[in-house]
Amino acid sequence: MEIVVCVKPVPDAETRLRIGADGSTMDIEAVKFVLAGYDESAVEQALLLKEANPGSKVHVISAGPAPRTEEVLRASLALGCDLATWVELPAGVSPDPIATARAVVRAVSAAPHDLVLCGKQAGDDEAGLFAGALAELLSIPDFSAVLDLRWDPGTSRLRFQRSVEGGLEKWEAPTPCVVALQQAWNDPRTAKLPAILKSRKLPITKVAFEAPPASSGTTRSTKFELPPPRTGAKLIEFKTPEEAAQKLVKILKEEAKVFP
Amino acid sequence: MTGPALVVGELHDGALSDATKEALGVAQSVAGAGEVVGFLSGASARGPAAEFGRYGLARVLGTEDPRLEGSVAAVLAHLVSVAAELVGSGLVIVGGTTLGRDLVAHLGVRWNAAVATGVTSLTRTGETLEVRRPVFGGRATETRRLEGAHVAVATRPHAFAPPKESPQAVSFTEIPMDGIPPSFWTPKRLSVEVAQRGAGPTLTDASIVVSGGRGVRGAENFHLVEELAASLGAAVGASRAVTDAGWRPPGYQVGQTGKAVSPQLYVAVGISGAIQHLVGMVSSRVIVAINSDASAPIFKVADYGLVGDLFQIVPALTSEIRRVRGIA
């Protein structure tokens, strides 16, 4: 099967966040960028599907500026993806998730795709909007919060679960479709050194960014704030477990007012 | 962004869900003297739509059709955009559920809307909507300005109070279900495994979450965490160490690669507080940590801490809560 994986470079979760001088951007120039957590899961899922279905190909696509986008694409190639396409955004252009979907839709359309995979949301903007927007642009169905994704060659259907508010749903869907993955792998693969070295020489197809049509609604960040530094927990002193329990319940009731 | 605010409803056990009620509360405050219109679709919509009247809505639009049970998000987006055009609404507000976020994503393209999810506050100034929303796993807050003829937002669960009540009669206008491509009806929802009654709320819905970590030392001890959660009517979560070790399935994981939660109260039992975990729960309103290691990073983000042996403290806490709440 032909699988397209859309990934996004995000600052490593360990990064100490800083606000830019203008207050309306995050200062993320010097930080280390990695595959967004759920996107890493999506790459792993794509490679597992490829291994289970011989003859499959995995094509990774990302939109973003240099050098971080090229880095995550090469990291994906090193993990075992076959092809990579980079929609290069000029410095200073940071489209919202809808505009990002518009920016990559031509590259996705041009790539053969039975399945388009991505993470359910990225760890920076936490929006979770990309998959639905891309599906709408491609006019194919999409499924979010997906777990346990399998391909059934007998029926030519994808089978998966969705973890939604109402409970755990079981689904069966034909291709093509877009799947936003919520799966967390306990043990995703890591790239081996020879593969990393080889990935540095593999070709990446570059596509120019086209600004979205002016008729669309626009969104932009106007301010970022960091929470006041947490002062640390108020430690409750106690001599016996019973005393600890009584004191905590009293605080939750009377001070924090969160006791049910 | 003119006209009435359109609130897209979801049902839970046949009644408007808490997420929908929060969306209604926001819509009331943003609409001011303007009208709030409801939308409801599903196998049953016409009857349950009457509940919108309890919160002062006079008009509900929607579609009642058995095919909508287990349909894809694109179908809902189609119906909602038709309804919005019909009443001349430029603002769609929906609760922060999986379906709510999916709907907003589709409206961003189908309805050319300026969109945002996970919003914790909303201010309308003329044609501009300004929203605040946690980003970077709750480690920062973004203010975002949404502009254009159409705006659609999904709220963040538990961020808003329920709406004010002012009961009145509701009219229901049916939105015809045509113009939907046949390919959108081929995916099939085969089954829904509803969380068992009495099994407590799901992680992302719950207003209280109790999570266990490595300090619980084994699957055989995890019942301590579950009993504490049950005493509070809370959902049960776990750190990555727990799901990695297979003590609980991956669905329990709170954190960067698990679920992000923002309950009123988060109780961390035997969790050291790796950044991986913190980004999934740091935006909880009140955090309590129980851990034997006073230098554990979890105490830096917690509001209240109990330094001690969880195997003694947790059972004592469970029985104290049960006593105070009058649970036998």
Side-chain angles (χ1 to χ4, degrees):
Chain A
M1 81 190 303
E2 302 279 357
I3 305 167
V4 166
V5 190
C6 296
V7 300
K8 179 181 187 182
V10 299
D12 187 90
E14 309 273 348
T15 303
R16 188 153 165 252
L17 297 176
R18 281 190 317 227
I19 309 289
D22 59 358
S24 68
T25 52
M26 297 295 284
D27 178 5
I28 47 176
E29 283 319 306
V31 311
K32 184 184 168 205
F33 280 84
V34 295
L35 275 181
Y38 289 110
D39 291 351
E40 190 185 25
S41 281
V43 169
E44 176 71 16
Q45 177 72 78
L47 295 172
L48 288 171
L49 284 168
K50 175 183 157 180
E51 285 159 3
N53 302 281
S56 300
K57 274 210 165 52
V58 178
H59 186 160
V60 60
I61 297 178
S62 186
R68 69 183 78 141
T69 312
E70 184 176 352
E71 283 166 15
V72 297
L73 286 171
R74 294 215 182 272
S76 306
L77 290 170
L79 288 169
C81 295
D82 302 289
L83 296 163
T85 296
W86 174 16
V87 181
E88 187 174 5
L89 301 184
V93 172
S94 59
D96 72 12
I98 306 295
T100 305
R102 292 187 195 279
V104 300
V105 70
R106 281 181 59 184
V108 175
S109 301
H113 56 272
D114 297 308
L115 170 65
V116 182
L117 268 173
C118 62
K120 74 161 211 171
Q121 70 191 65
D124 53 357
D125 66 26
E126 307 274 359
L129 291 166
F130 176 83
L134 184 66
E136 188 73 45
L137 289 164
L138 293 168
S139 288
I140 60 178
D142 67 299
F143 306 93
S144 60
V146 166
L147 305 167
D148 196 21
L149 176 64
R150 285 154 213 271
W151 170 248
D152 180 353
T155 59
S156 289
R157 292 279 193 278
L158 289 162
R159 286 177 158 265
F160 51 89
Q161 302 193 355
R162 297 185 63 214
S163 170
V164 301
E165 287 74 10
L168 203 57
E169 302 179 344
K170 283 206 171 93
W171 281 79
E172 184 185 87
T175 57
C177 63
V178 178
V179 164
L181 212 63
Q182 181 166 308
Q183 186 88 44
W185 302 101
N186 286 339
D187 213 2
R189 70 195 69 202
T190 49
K192 304 247 176 359
L193 186 61
I196 294 171
L197 295 175
K198 196 177 151 214
S199 75
R200 289 185 189 159
K201 296 199 188 77
L202 291 174
I204 290 179
T205 307
K206 267 204 207 181
V207 178
F209 168 69
E210 286 174 37
S215 64
S216 308
T218 61
T219 77
R220 65 193 161 90
S221 301
T222 53
K223 190 159 82 171
F224 280 99
E225 295 157 89
L226 298 180
R230 293 247 183 186
T231 49
K234 180 170 158 186
L235 296 181
I236 299 165
E237 296 193 6
F238 57 91
K239 292 202 175 58
T240 65
E242 290 72 28
E243 187 190 357
Q246 284 161 13
K247 281 188 167 173
L248 179 61
V249 167
K250 191 167 157 42
I251 286 172
L252 294 181
K253 276 182 95 134
E254 294 170 12
E255 188 176 301
K257 300 193 195 302
V258 288
F259 196 78
Chain B
M1 193 187 44
T2 53
L6 185 69
V7 173
V8 178
E10 279 186 81
L11 299 178
H12 184 254
D13 283 342
L16 294 179
S17 70
D18 289 346
T20 297
K21 287 181 197 161
E22 290 183 28
L24 278 169
V26 180
Q28 284 178 347
S29 65
V30 171
E35 189 187 1
V36 178
V37 176
F39 177 95
L40 197 62
S41 64
S44 163
R46 209 167 259 280
E51 193 185 343
F52 276 111
R54 199 167 135 194
Y55 306 106
L57 277 66
R59 290 199 285 170
V60 178
L61 297 87
T63 308
E64 184 169 291
D65 190 307
R67 284 178 294 169
L68 289 168
E69 217 48 48
S71 58
V72 299
V75 173
L76 177 65
H78 170 75
L79 297 173
V80 168
S81 50
V82 170
E85 290 308 303
L86 201 64
V87 296
S89 166
L91 173 62
V92 169
I93 302 177
V94 60
T97 58
T98 306
L99 187 67
R101 287 188 297 273
D102 288 352
L103 170 65
V104 166
H106 281 265
L107 291 178
V109 172
R110 174 170 286 265
W111 200 44
N112 268 326
V115 298
T117 52
V119 311
T120 54
S121 86
L122 239 117
T123 322
R124 185 176 183 168
T125 315
E127 295 303 287
T128 303
L129 194 72
E130 202 167 73
V131 301
R132 280 163 57 84
R133 47 192 304 279
V135 291
F136 291 93
R139 291 186 295 149
T141 304
E142 176 193 41
T143 302
R144 188 167 269 274
R145 194 168 287 173
L146 312 184
E147 285 163 323
H150 298 156
V151 171
V153 296
T155 58
R156 185 172 174 90
H158 312 302
F160 297 98
K164 293 188 284 287
E165 300 193 12
S166 56
Q168 67 166 316
V170 162
S171 72
F172 187 88
T173 307
E174 184 83 16
I175 304 292
M177 202 158 57
D178 44 23
I180 294 165
S183 64
F184 288 107
W185 298 113
T186 26
K188 283 195 175 53
R189 191 175 73 185
L190 305 172
S191 67
V192 184
E193 187 185 309
V194 181
Q196 280 181 348
R197 226 168 246 291
T202 60
L203 258 182
T204 43
D205 291 337
S207 57
I208 303 179
V209 173
V210 178
S211 290
R214 196 190 302 273
V216 177
R217 290 197 209 142
E220 68 278 12
N221 301 323
F222 214 78
H223 67 95
L224 293 173
V225 174
E226 284 163 346
E227 284 154 16
L228 176 58
S231 75
L232 288 162
V236 178
S239 71
R240 184 165 176 169
V242 167
T243 54
D244 275 3
W247 300 349
R248 280 297 174 271
Y252 280 68
Q253 189 189 324
V254 172
Q256 190 190 5
T257 50
K259 294 196 170 78
V261 300
S262 54
Q264 294 291 306
L265 172 62
Y266 188 89
V267 183
V269 176
I271 291 177
S272 63
I275 186 77
Q276 207 289 131
H277 186 74
L278 298 184
V279 298
M281 46 65 80
V282 75
S283 57
S284 307
R285 192 162 86 72
V286 175
I287 299 169
V288 171
I290 303 170
N291 201 302
S292 57
D293 176 8
S295 65
I298 190 76
F299 288 118
K300 290 205 175 69
V301 301
D303 298 280
Y304 303 103
L306 290 165
V307 180
D309 181 0
L310 73 89
F311 291 93
Q312 294 189 359
I313 295 171
V314 172
L317 187 56
T318 303
S319 71
E320 174 66 6
I321 292 165
R322 291 169 70 96
R323 186 184 71 75
V324 171
R325 297 190 71 201
I327 304 169

